[in-house]
Amino acid sequence: MKRILIVDDAATVRLFHRAILESAGYAVDEAVNGIEALEKALQSTFDLYLVDVNMPKLDGYGFLRELRGSDLPQAPAIMISTEAGARDEQLAYAAGANAYLVKPTRPERLLLLVRMLIGEVPA
């Protein structure tokens, strides 16, 4: 079973994404900020990360830069944010994101991206 880490400080967003992903058969874990996400990545391997931009302690950009610059096993990351500007998307890709979605996410769009990035459907 593929494992996905949701990194978001908003409990309602984590719950929403968890429900979508678990109903599609994925194992889901959660972190409330980038520091907790790095700690979880040190303890366990994930197949995909869903990452919010704006979080306390360590934001999504910082988390991805730390992850990408480390010796930890690498996995694709979808950055999900309320920030809809082109600059925000550019910053996400520069930090190491593989895809960028604007909240609120449509479940079918999220699942399609997840399946593509973990290799379950062709890109």
Side-chain angles (χ1 to χ4, degrees):
M1 179 179 290
K2 299 289 186 175
R3 300 188 69 238
I4 299 173
L5 181 63
I6 299 169
V7 187
D8 199 305
D9 59 323
T12 54
V13 173
R14 291 193 314 271
L15 184 64
F16 176 66
H17 290 151
R18 177 184 279 275
I20 293 166
L21 296 168
E22 286 182 341
S23 70
Y26 298 105
V28 176
D29 199 354
E30 300 177 9
V32 298
N33 59 53
I35 291 174
E36 185 180 351
L38 286 171
E39 290 170 354
K40 289 192 178 228
L42 282 167
Q43 298 167 0
S44 188
T45 301
F46 294 95
D47 298 292
L48 183 86
Y49 297 94
L50 291 187
V51 184
D52 182 28
V53 171
N54 299 310
M55 296 179 288
K57 298 186 182 178
L58 182 63
D59 68 12
Y61 301 131
F63 164 71
L64 285 179
R65 282 192 297 272
E66 289 289 326
L67 179 70
R68 298 303 187 222
S70 75
D71 290 335
L72 290 168
Q74 298 296 307
I78 301 172
M79 188 155 276
I80 303 176
S81 178
T82 56
E83 310 298 332
R87 177 89 175 118
D88 301 300
E89 190 169 349
Q90 291 168 349
L91 289 170
Y93 288 121
N98 299 89
Y100 190 86
L101 290 175
V102 176
K103 293 177 186 175
T105 55
R106 293 190 335 256
E108 65 279 1
R109 175 78 175 133
L110 176 62
L111 285 176
L112 178 61
L113 266 177
V114 166
R115 289 178 176 132
M116 285 178 11
L117 289 172
I118 61 177
E120 293 179 342
V121 296

